[in-house]
Amino acid sequence: MGKYRSLSGTAIAAIVIVVVIVIIAAGVGAYYATRKHITTTSTTPVATTTSSVPKTSTTTTTTPPPTTTTTTTTTTTTTTHTPVTITVADSYSTSENAAFNQTIAAFEQQYPWIHVNVEYGAQDSASNYQSEVQAGDAPNVLRVSSDSAGVAFASGWLLNLSQYLPKSYFARYINVTIQDSMLNGSVYGLPDDENSIVMFYNKKFVPEPPNTTNQLIQIAENVNKTYHIWGIAYGASDEYGYRFAAWFAGYGGQIFTTINGKIYPDLNSTAMVNALNFWYNLTYNLKINYLAPSPGAGGAEGELFTSNQTAIIFDGPWDLGNYFSALGCNLGAAPLPVVSQTGLYATPFVGAQDWVITTPSASGATPAQINASLLFIEFVTNYSAEMRLWNIAGDIPALTSAYNTALKELSETNTTNTTILCLNNIKKGILEQETHGMIMPNIPQMGSYWSSFHQYASEFFASKINATQAAQGMEQAFIQALQQSGLLSPIPLPNSLYLLQEFSTKY
Amino acid sequence: MVSWNTKQKIIGFLYILPLFIVVLLLFLYPLIYSVYISFTNMAAIHFLHFKYIGLFNYEMMIKDKYLATLLINTVIWTLGSLIPMIALGLSLAIILNQKDLYGKSIFYAILILPWAFPGFISLLVWQGMWVDPYGFMNRYLLPFLHLPHVNSLISVSSAWTELIVTNLWLSFPYYMTVFYSGLQSIPQELYEIADVDGAGPLQKFATITFPSLRKIIAFVFITSFVFTWNNFYPIYILTGGGPGIATETFTVYAYQQAFSQYNYAFAAALSIVSTIITVGLGIIVLKFTGVLENIT
């Protein structure tokens, strides 16, 4: 018996650690098992009606739609609701959050049984939530770009709103925004704004914006000679094809074509060659464009623009605040010019920011949370919410009634306040651009476009290949990427793809 | 009745169980999961409901026309970074190790300063410094040294220069610190005997310093080789793999496949191949240098 030893203190400690780990793991497992159980079995509606008293009320909002006075007859019922909490991933900027926080307060006032747990500073791309989706722990509601939401919807982790809301409900949004929130005829998101790039110019150097590319060149050369600054700062080689798509379309190109129902890339075209050569010429031969390494207000393009080192840049209204605070009334905004060679507008992508709901399998949501999420996304895309975003942050409304009010506000503002007048003129330019855009493709195949374009455009602007080789190369790379991801197969085209053209008659 | 040996084995197993659980959860699970999804069609439209497709992703990889370029780029990036990093780290360590160097602590504190900054922030600062012609490097330093401008958007050699110089700045404090501690472990008497024998600095380096550091250099080389091979941020932030795919490595390509093109299974296959290559090279270097022989 002498060779048997009692357990040492270390061994006992190790056993205790293991036991604790096992208990914690079992506890976590039990917690998730319980959550799944609730998710799959709880199907009872949460509202319990205690009385039903029909009542007529007149809804008055602070800024009503201009065209009609809305008198709504609703049937209000006094009900008891089980409290429910939903998690919302908020991708708004600081200025947008000022509007959004007011909307949240109004929502919780109207639906006191719903508590909204807001995750501020979230990403606006749906791809950032995939780990949480795999774990079944994604937020209930996300605000993401319509194209990234399209991929998520195709992946099967966003709710099909067409199954919950009538078709007529979606008609209240501007056609282009709802089309861009739709895949295969099903709507997956409610848009709260409409966005595209626009031409920002500094009136100190460019009193009147160019209408054509010939004028653009003339103005840029003049600025270059007179003020010794860059005419344009556009980093065509650094981008992934979001902005370049406008010039490609202006030369008559399109990203996709269909052959026997299959989607094929259509980048290898004369339009791509001409568009690439146009910017190469402005950059290297005429030396009026600065091939900036980074776009946007925080990048080199924005830095040069706000420090009066370049006269023209192409950026979105999301950076308006930065430019206006730097340049004030010298800032101008106008649509991208008509390509002189073709007579077509350079038409940028027009997309939307969508409020979407994750499926119960992705978020572990109960039916009560799904109901609350639906109420929430309807509320944050209603007239009052979108007008708040327009008035406070300058977001272009996606709701037709709010958009019309915004237009009317701009034309009828009766003020002598110079700042407001200047800002309104800029906003007019931005709104005008929206009428010369093309719907941003939201199909999963689009994911393979960006790096294919970037790879060969950057080689072209580094003078390693010519434009023809670049166009061929990017199309081959696009096809290879689609093959690798299994997307070069007959996937039905969503409606929006057929609208890859100017939509000036959208209303 | 449980025998003594069995009981000892159980106790021994209990000792390693916590570590085994941690290793299983943190290291093996992700690896096994990556291997698993590399045999599936997990992509944008098959994100939740993917299926087994055998070696399809590996076949596609072999057919991928960029594979050779990616391999060459990864080797250029890894060796191009490692060799100057080790050389600079060792040189600075030798300088710091001089007995008669005054203010050694101050120099050391200054030299490890790049470590004090978060790598990501440093990279963003360097990105701004390389902007041609407005950044610090192209506006002041390179003209001052009569060197040509560096612009990664218009030249492949510029892109590599940007990457390797930036990575050198980010990494040399690590190498310097490791070699410095290695140098301090060399008995001073060896140098004193060499002095008595009339050996010069180069002779002392070749016969005392370098042989004493051989295993440290080999160890640093192996670990850094794997780290640099997989180092993603400098390339992603500074050049994005461009112009074209001229500076794109396996890891950056895999990242783009996963998060730009939503082709997770293919990205996993790329990662697995990359892992196999690094493990293979690691084993060869270990055998060659015998660096683990003294570790028991």
Side-chain angles (χ1 to χ4, degrees), chain A residues 87-435:
Chain A
T87 312
V88 172
D90 163 22
S91 62
Y92 283 125
S93 65
T94 309
S95 59
E96 288 171 325
N97 269 325
F100 180 61
N101 288 338
Q102 290 178 22
T103 302
I104 291 275
F107 176 76
E108 289 191 327
Q109 197 174 14
Q110 187 163 332
Y111 302 103
W113 68 93
I114 302 174
H115 174 63
V116 182
N117 183 15
V118 182
E119 293 176 356
Y120 289 98
Q123 298 291 319
D124 72 348
S125 172
S127 64
N128 289 292
Y129 298 94
Q130 282 163 347
S131 299
E132 288 164 278
V133 168
Q134 283 269 335
D137 200 25
N140 301 109
V141 178
L142 314 173
R143 180 181 180 268
V144 289
S145 63
S146 55
D147 59 314
S148 74
V151 178
F153 184 60
S155 303
W157 55 270
L158 292 186
L159 219 59
N160 182 353
L161 300 180
S162 296
Q163 292 173 350
Y164 292 84
L165 298 167
K167 210 173 179 179
S168 58
Y169 188 87
F170 305 120
R172 66 186 63 191
Y173 297 97
I174 292 170
N175 189 38
V176 65
T177 60
I178 206 70
Q179 285 288 331
D180 207 36
S181 311
M182 184 188 282
L183 208 56
N184 297 337
S186 296
V187 175
Y188 54 76
L190 298 185
D192 73 356
D193 81 349
E194 179 183 12
N195 53 59
S196 76
I197 59 158
V198 64
M199 180 170 63
F200 285 114
Y201 60 97
N202 189 333
K203 290 179 181 171
K204 189 176 166 187
F205 311 116
V206 183
E208 290 298 323
N211 293 319
T212 65
T213 50
N214 283 345
Q215 288 176 12
L216 176 73
I217 292 169
Q218 201 179 6
I219 287 171
E221 281 182 322
N222 188 39
V223 165
N224 201 276
K225 275 180 200 157
T226 313
Y227 301 102
H228 307 292
I229 62 165
W230 292 104
I232 307 159
Y234 170 47
S237 72
D238 185 56
E239 73 150 323
Y240 284 74
Y242 174 71
R243 293 183 296 168
F244 195 87
W247 304 102
F248 180 42
Y251 276 93
Q254 57 178 12
I255 293 171
F256 294 106
T257 187
T258 54
I259 302 168
N260 299 327
K262 281 191 180 184
I263 294 176
Y264 278 99
D266 196 16
L267 302 182
N268 185 15
S269 62
T270 314
M272 179 57 80
V273 173
N274 289 340
L276 287 169
N277 279 332
F278 172 74
W279 280 106
Y280 192 94
N281 184 38
L282 265 62
T283 305
Y284 291 106
N285 300 329
L286 300 175
K287 299 186 193 312
I288 53 175
N289 175 49
Y290 173 59
L291 203 62
S294 48
E301 289 180 14
E303 288 288 323
L304 289 174
F305 189 60
T306 51
S307 58
N308 292 310
Q309 291 298 307
T310 186
I312 293 170
I313 58 165
F314 308 106
D315 194 6
W318 47 86
D319 280 333
L320 172 62
N322 297 63
Y323 300 143
F324 191 69
S325 63
L327 301 181
C329 287
N330 275 337
L331 180 67
L336 270 61
V338 168
V339 173
S340 302
Q341 193 180 328
T342 62
L344 297 171
Y345 266 104
T347 43
F349 284 141
V350 175
Q353 291 292 324
D354 279 346
W355 283 101
V356 298
I357 301 172
T358 50
T359 57
S361 64
S363 63
T366 62
Q369 285 177 312
I370 294 290
N371 286 337
S373 300
L374 281 162
L375 288 173
F376 181 79
I377 65 166
E378 286 179 49
F379 196 87
V380 293
T381 57
N382 70 16
Y383 178 83
S384 303
E386 295 209 1
M387 282 309 294
R388 269 187 214 107
L389 281 169
W390 163 253
N391 287 322
I392 296 174
D395 287 9
I396 299 168
L399 197 71
T400 309
S401 55
Y403 183 93
N404 289 336
T405 304
L407 272 181
K408 197 171 179 196
E409 271 183 6
L410 289 179
S411 53
E412 291 180 0
T413 303
N414 205 2
T415 178
T416 50
N417 186 321
T418 326
T419 307
I420 293 175
L421 286 172
C422 290
L423 204 52
N424 283 354
N425 276 332
I426 296 163
K427 285 179 172 178
K428 274 182 198 170
I430 293 169
L431 287 178
E432 202 183 334
Q433 177 66 81
E434 303 300 312
T435 60

Side-chain angles (χ1 to χ4, degrees), chain A residues 3 130 155 230 290 451 458, chain B residues 4 44 64 132 134 244 261 264:
Chain A
K3 67 178 181 180
Q130 282 163 347
S155 303
W230 292 104
Y290 173 59
S451 44
S458 63
Chain B
W4 185 85
D64 193 317
D132 183 24
Y134 302 101
Q261 306 196 14
Y264 307 105

Side-chain angles (χ1 to χ4, degrees), chain A residues 410-489:
Chain A
L410 289 179
S411 53
E412 291 180 0
T413 303
N414 205 2
T415 178
T416 50
N417 186 321
T418 326
T419 307
I420 293 175
L421 286 172
C422 290
L423 204 52
N424 283 354
N425 276 332
I426 296 163
K427 285 179 172 178
K428 274 182 198 170
I430 293 169
L431 287 178
E432 202 183 334
Q433 177 66 81
E434 303 300 312
T435 60
H436 301 293
M438 61 176 166
I439 293 179
M440 172 107 165
N442 57 353
I443 51 174
Q445 284 87 342
M446 190 64 184
S448 301
Y449 160 74
W450 310 111
S451 44
S452 307
F453 171 84
H454 173 72
Q455 182 183 329
Y456 285 91
S458 63
E459 273 195 74
F460 169 69
F461 282 102
S463 307
K464 285 180 73 187
I465 51 175
N466 63 36
T468 308
Q469 290 167 322
Q472 284 167 354
M474 61 180 71
E475 179 156 310
Q476 283 166 10
F478 201 167
I479 291 170
Q480 176 181 286
L482 291 177
Q483 278 169 341
Q484 284 168 345
S485 53
L487 289 171
L488 197 65
S489 54

Side-chain angles (χ1 to χ4, degrees), chain B residues 46-243:
Chain B
H46 307 293
F47 182 62
L48 295 176
H49 308 288
F50 46 90
K51 61 178 184 187
Y52 175 77
I53 55 166
L55 291 168
F56 177 79
N57 290 312
Y58 293 92
E59 284 171 27
M60 292 305 287
M61 195 193 318
I62 291 163
K63 287 179 188 167
D64 193 317
K65 61 178 180 175
Y66 307 127
L67 189 69
T69 312
L70 292 173
L71 269 172
I72 293 166
N73 289 348
T74 312
V75 171
I76 292 174
W77 162 243
T78 308
L79 295 181
S81 297
L82 265 183
I83 292 166
M85 284 191 300
I86 289 177
L88 183 66
L90 187 57
S91 309
L92 289 170
I94 290 168
I95 293 169
L96 278 177
N97 199 43
Q98 300 307 303
K99 266 195 303 185
D100 48 354
L101 181 71
Y102 290 102
K104 202 181 281 190
S105 309
I106 294 167
F107 285 131
Y108 185 67
I110 291 168
L111 286 170
I112 62 164
L113 212 55
W115 249 0
F117 295 100
F120 192 82
I121 304 296
S122 296
L123 283 167
L124 291 176
V125 171
W126 272 95
Q127 188 189 36
M129 283 168 57
W130 284 118
V131 170
D132 183 24
Y134 302 101
F136 172 80
M137 298 299 279
N138 283 304
R139 194 168 191 174
Y140 301 111
L141 191 64
L142 295 175
F144 177 74
L145 298 171
H146 300 284
L147 290 170
H149 279 213
V150 167
N151 186 342
S152 64
L153 291 176
I154 58 172
S155 146
V156 176
S157 55
S158 284
W160 280 121
T161 306
E162 258 192 50
L163 287 173
I164 287 170
V165 170
T166 308
N167 203 25
L168 184 63
W169 187 86
L170 287 170
S171 310
F172 81 84
Y174 166 75
Y175 296 89
M176 183 187 73
T177 304
V178 173
F179 292 134
Y180 184 43
S181 65
L183 287 170
Q184 287 188 324
S185 69
I186 300 173
Q188 201 56 39
E189 292 79 9
L190 293 177
Y191 290 104
E192 285 165 4
I193 292 165
D195 284 336
V196 171
D197 290 345
L202 276 177
Q203 215 173 352
K204 281 192 276 184
F205 178 80
T207 55
I208 302 172
T209 310
F210 190 75
S212 303
L213 287 179
R214 195 174 68 91
K215 286 201 188 309
I216 291 176
I217 292 171
F219 176 76
V220 165
F221 186 83
I222 294 161
T223 51
S224 303
F225 185 91
V226 175
F227 178 79
T228 311
W229 181 284
N230 292 315
N231 199 0
F232 162 80
Y233 284 112
I235 298 174
Y236 189 71
I237 292 173
L238 291 176
T239 66

